[in-house]
Amino acid sequence: MTTDRVASEQSADDQARMEGMFVKEAVDEVFRAIKAGPFAVILIPAIVVAVMWSQIDTGILLLWLSLMVCVILIRYRLAGIYHSSDVTWENAQLWSDRFTLTSLGSGLLWASTPIIFFVENSISHQLFILTLVISLSIGSVLFGAYMPKGFYYFSIPTLSAVVGRLLLEGSVAYVSLSMLMLWYLLMSIALNKKMCGTIRSEMLLRYNSDAMTEALQVKTEEANQAALAKSRFLAAASHDLRQPLHSMTLLFDVLKEAESREERQRLLSKVDLSLVALRNLFDALLDVSRLDANEITAEMSHFDIDKLMKQLSEEFETEAKDKGLRLSFRNSCGAVVTDRLLLERIVRNLISNALFYTEKGGVLLTCRKRGEKILLQVWDSGIGIPEQDQEVIFDEFHQLNNARRNRSEGLGLGLAIVNRLCQLLDLPISVRSRVGRGSVFSIELPAGSESMVVAAEQGVQHSWDLAGRILLVVDDDCDVLDAMEELLTKWGCRVIVADTLEKAIAAVDRSGSLPDAFISDLRLSEVVTGVEALDVLRERYGRSIPGILITGDSIPDQAEFTESTGYQLLLKPVQPARLRTVIHQSLSE
């Protein structure tokens, strides 16, 4: 569905809701007035009967009065039912139509008065009827400001009857008076439309003001909740960062006084554990911040979910056996369409979490088809999650049975990252659990195309081998250059490294071979940026040579950056598999 179509449907829904609210408020006003004084309304037709008692047949008068009282009582009964019913803007139109029907009945009865109660030889009785009908039509203009149909159904029959009756008299005075009555009818209709428009504008202004106030309150509450969540996040992160730093500070002080090589080795191994914990925490925090900043973009593809699940079950099989647990995968679902690498991270976190909280039994991975969806589930027979915690387990640093924040029991960021990745991929995730019985995490995946899976796998097989490829790497950090050279050489590549643009050009010229791809850090130590360096290299050696940028900076919109520069962007730390995939894609293109 396109954005314009969604916007138009939302606009149509808003208009329908607004119209319903207009009708609801109008019906409220009308029925409130009817409920307030039914006997005062009955008094007017009673006065008419009293005035006409000696001029009109008694039977006709009583019949007319009875019909009029019936209409008034029906209206009063409708008002009573209305106020005792649960009326909303969706069904308000039904009550408006019911009132309109009573208006038509009342209008027809009053329209009969200029015809059957028009006394030929009594100017005073004629004046009484004309004045009464005009007065009632003026009152209907006020009602009609809220409900125009009610006004039309009442005033048009009554005033039209007056105009017709005066024309029948034939004299100049009566004909002139009928024209004045016709002009009055037209002016009443125009006045009613203007009043109705004014009231609707006032209602719209009030509704918009109320909606804006409500939206502001919601946004304020969301901002307050976000601020509280961020404060809790920073407090927990600060605590977890300080712990390994504190440990290393104490260990280094002891290390200074160590006398034997064995003691130093023992202390260094403890320092290494603290460094590993610190690195893991930084990596997890970086993942959370990149997801919050929308720096991770999804790359959708069709792939075989069964292969991924089997791969992950084999990967965690040793860890499960070490704990005496069973880890298995059942069922077969075929193709899905989503980001394979991000889904792999989601499932890996869920399996790791399930194994951690399971002491006996095992973990089961399943896939089941549900129409156009595939339900992926991770079952465990672990400790289970209390019902009150099932909503907050996806919060940062929330861990069950780890109030002391013991790092050996995890960081409390795994499920937070899972939740954010599912939101990024638009994959609904849910959890069911019973304490002491275990838990099941469920993810709905869109089904993919088997033919597109085959085509994608053939394309990957064609371009996967990097042996013999010449890659130029430019980075001002020597350690990064060494690591990149080691990794790319391991993949069979010929690697040219340089820490400046000038050295890169000189190294390529000396090699006598053109690189197949350029890889550069975005922020170099010299005045030239990575983008400018790639531009110069491609201008010198060939515009067809692809360029890849790597950075540790925060880039708000990777897709926009890639589109504007023409270079694929990777954010540090880069997973080797991700780097290799991007190199493959760049060389294939």
Side-chain angles (χ1 to χ4, degrees):
M1 184 179 292
T2 64
T3 304
D4 292 340
R5 183 178 173 187
V6 172
S8 65
E9 287 185 0
Q10 289 178 340
S11 177
D13 291 341
D14 291 341
Q15 290 177 0
R17 180 175 181 273
M18 190 66 67
E19 183 63 30
M21 294 177 70
F22 286 151
V23 174
K24 172 70 166 56
E25 186 161 335
V27 175
D28 283 343
E29 290 290 336
V30 169
F31 279 129
R32 187 182 299 114
I34 291 174
K35 189 73 174 175
F39 299 108
V41 179
I42 293 176
L43 182 63
I44 297 175
I47 293 174
V48 172
V49 171
V51 171
M52 295 295 174
W53 190 261
S54 60
Q55 304 293 324
I56 306 298
D57 182 81
T58 304
I60 295 175
L61 285 174
L62 293 177
L63 176 62
W64 179 86
L65 179 61
S66 300
L67 293 174
M68 188 65 72
V69 170
C70 285
V71 171
I72 294 172
L73 292 178
I74 289 173
R75 276 189 172 182
Y76 183 76
R77 177 59 180 160
L78 277 177
I81 298 173
Y82 175 83
H83 287 296
S84 62
S85 302
D86 184 18
V87 181
T88 63
W89 64 268
E90 289 95 338
N91 59 8
Q93 186 61 49
L94 175 63
W95 292 92
S96 175
D97 294 340
R98 290 170 177 172
F99 172 79
T100 300
L101 288 176
T102 62
S103 296
L104 178 60
S106 178
L108 292 175
L109 286 173
W110 282 110
S112 67
T113 57
I115 298 173
I116 61 177
F117 295 166
F118 198 83
V119 182
E120 291 287 344
N121 300 320
S122 176
I123 298 297
S124 60
H125 286 86
Q126 294 175 10
L127 184 61
F128 170 77
I129 291 297
L130 292 177
T131 303
L132 179 62
V133 171
I134 293 173
S135 300
L136 291 174
S137 67
I138 292 174
S140 69
V141 171
L142 300 178
F143 268 95
Y146 289 93
M147 204 172 293
K149 283 187 178 180
F151 163 75
Y152 297 144
Y153 282 29
F154 179 84
S155 289
I156 291 178
T158 54
L159 292 178
S160 297
V162 171
V163 171
R165 188 66 184 82
L166 292 174
L167 285 174
L168 288 176
E169 292 300 311
S171 66
V172 174
Y174 279 106
V175 171
S176 299
L177 186 58
S178 70
M179 293 299 101
L180 288 176
M181 293 299 296
L182 181 60
W183 176 84
Y184 168 72
L185 173 61
L186 297 176
M187 289 301 100
S188 297
I189 294 174
L191 177 61
N192 177 261
K193 288 183 178 180
K194 185 174 182 179
M195 291 177 64
C196 184
T198 301
I199 289 177
R200 289 172 73 90
S201 297
E202 292 176 355
M203 288 182 184
L204 179 61
L205 183 62
R206 186 171 71 253
Y207 292 150
N208 287 338
S209 176
D210 293 343
M212 290 176 64
T213 301
E214 184 178 349
L216 180 60
Q217 290 174 345
V218 171
K219 291 295 183 184
T220 302
E221 181 63 25
E222 288 178 354
N224 291 336
Q225 292 298 325
L228 287 173
K230 190 63 67 177
S231 297
R232 290 194 297 268
F233 177 85
L234 292 174
S238 175
H239 172 274
D240 282 21
L241 286 170
R242 287 174 184 272
Q243 290 296 93
L245 287 173
H246 178 63
S247 298
M248 285 190 291
T249 301
L250 298 177
L251 289 170
F252 274 122
D253 192 62
V254 177
L255 189 60
K256 293 176 184 178
E257 306 296 330
E259 297 180 353
S260 65
R261 185 174 182 276
E262 291 76 11
E263 186 179 2
R264 285 194 297 271
Q265 191 65 36
R266 181 178 59 82
L267 292 171
L268 284 172
S269 65
K270 291 185 177 182
V271 170
D272 186 59
L273 289 175
S274 295
L275 283 172
V276 170
L278 193 60
R279 184 180 67 246
N280 290 339
L281 181 57
F282 267 118
D283 288 344
L285 290 174
L286 181 60
D287 285 339
V288 171
S289 88
R290 287 171 63 190
L291 286 165
D292 285 344
N294 298 320
E295 292 180 358
I296 296 178
T297 56
E299 297 181 6
M300 299 302 181
S301 64
H302 296 255
F303 61 92
D304 192 335
I305 187 63
D306 299 330
K307 290 183 178 180
L308 175 60
M309 299 297 281
K310 290 174 183 176
Q311 170 196 325
L312 292 175
S313 62
E314 291 172 1
E315 178 183 328
F316 283 93
E317 186 176 5
T318 302
E319 181 179 341
K321 285 182 178 179
D322 290 343
K323 290 191 68 174
L325 302 174
R326 297 185 307 276
L327 176 61
S328 56
F329 168 61
R330 292 181 186 172
N331 302 332
S332 178
C333 292
V336 297
V337 54
T338 187
D339 188 303
R340 189 186 189 283
L341 290 177
L342 296 184
L343 179 63
E344 182 178 333
R345 290 187 62 186
I346 291 171
V347 181
R348 181 177 278 111
N349 274 342
L350 291 177
I351 296 174
S352 178
N353 211 54
L355 290 173
F356 184 84
Y357 286 104
T358 302
E359 295 299 329
K360 60 181 180 179
V363 175
L364 174 65
L365 314 179
T366 65
C367 281
R368 288 182 293 167
K369 286 188 177 180
R370 284 190 172 180
E372 296 299 318
K373 299 289 185 180
I374 289 178
L375 185 66
L376 185 155
Q377 294 181 309
V378 179
W379 299 74
D380 68 65
S381 56
I383 62 174
I385 306 168
E387 186 174 352
Q388 66 271 18
D389 288 325
Q390 291 179 19
E391 291 294 326
V392 295
I393 56 172
F394 294 104
D395 294 346
E396 301 89 353
F397 297 105
H398 185 88
Q399 291 177 283
L400 301 178
N401 305 325
N402 191 15
R404 296 186 178 183
R405 312 283 313 137
N406 185 349
R407 293 193 304 278
S408 66
E409 297 186 12
L411 301 173
L413 291 174
L415 289 180
I417 293 173
V418 164
N419 188 44
R420 281 169 166 79
L421 288 174
C422 285
Q423 291 175 354
L424 173 65
L425 299 176
D426 194 22
L427 302 178
I429 182 171
S430 60
V431 58
R432 289 183 290 113
S433 184
R434 291 181 63 183
V435 175
R437 299 291 297 275
S439 307
V440 54
F441 286 82
S442 304
I443 301 174
E444 282 190 5
L445 300 165
S449 166
E450 297 288 350
S451 60
M452 296 187 71
V453 171
V454 173
E457 289 179 348
Q458 289 175 345
V460 170
Q461 291 170 0
H462 176 73
S463 61
W464 183 254
D465 188 11
L466 292 178
R469 295 287 192 170
I470 302 173
L471 303 178
L472 170 64
V473 181
V474 185
D475 199 303
D476 59 351
D477 190 306
C478 295
D479 292 335
V480 172
L481 278 180
D482 290 341
M484 287 288 286
E485 186 173 14
E486 290 286 344
L487 179 65
L488 297 174
T489 301
K490 181 182 177 182
W491 291 344
C493 301
R494 290 175 55 194
V495 187
I496 303 172
V497 296
D499 58 0
T500 66
L501 175 60
E502 289 76 11
K503 291 180 181 179
I505 294 173
V508 173
D509 291 342
R510 283 196 306 270
S511 72
S513 302
L514 287 179
D516 293 298
F518 301 124
I519 302 174
S520 174
D521 188 64
L522 180 60
R523 179 180 294 184
L524 301 174
S525 59
E526 53 190 64
V527 293
V528 179
T529 66
V531 175
E532 293 168 336
L534 291 182
D535 288 342
V536 171
L537 290 168
R538 296 178 74 224
E539 188 67 34
R540 183 182 180 91
Y541 299 111
R543 301 295 300 176
S544 61
I545 301 176
I548 300 170
L549 289 168
I550 301 177
T551 183
D553 295 337
S554 177
I555 306 296
D557 193 332
Q558 282 185 255
E560 183 178 342
F561 180 90
T562 300
E563 185 177 352
S564 63
T565 63
Y567 300 125
Q568 185 67 263
L569 180 69
L570 296 174
L571 299 179
K572 298 178 181 178
V574 182
Q575 297 293 330
R578 174 64 174 155
L579 174 62
R580 189 165 185 167
T581 300
V582 171
I583 294 175
H584 291 158
Q585 290 174 347
S586 299
L587 293 175
S588 299
E589 291 171 359

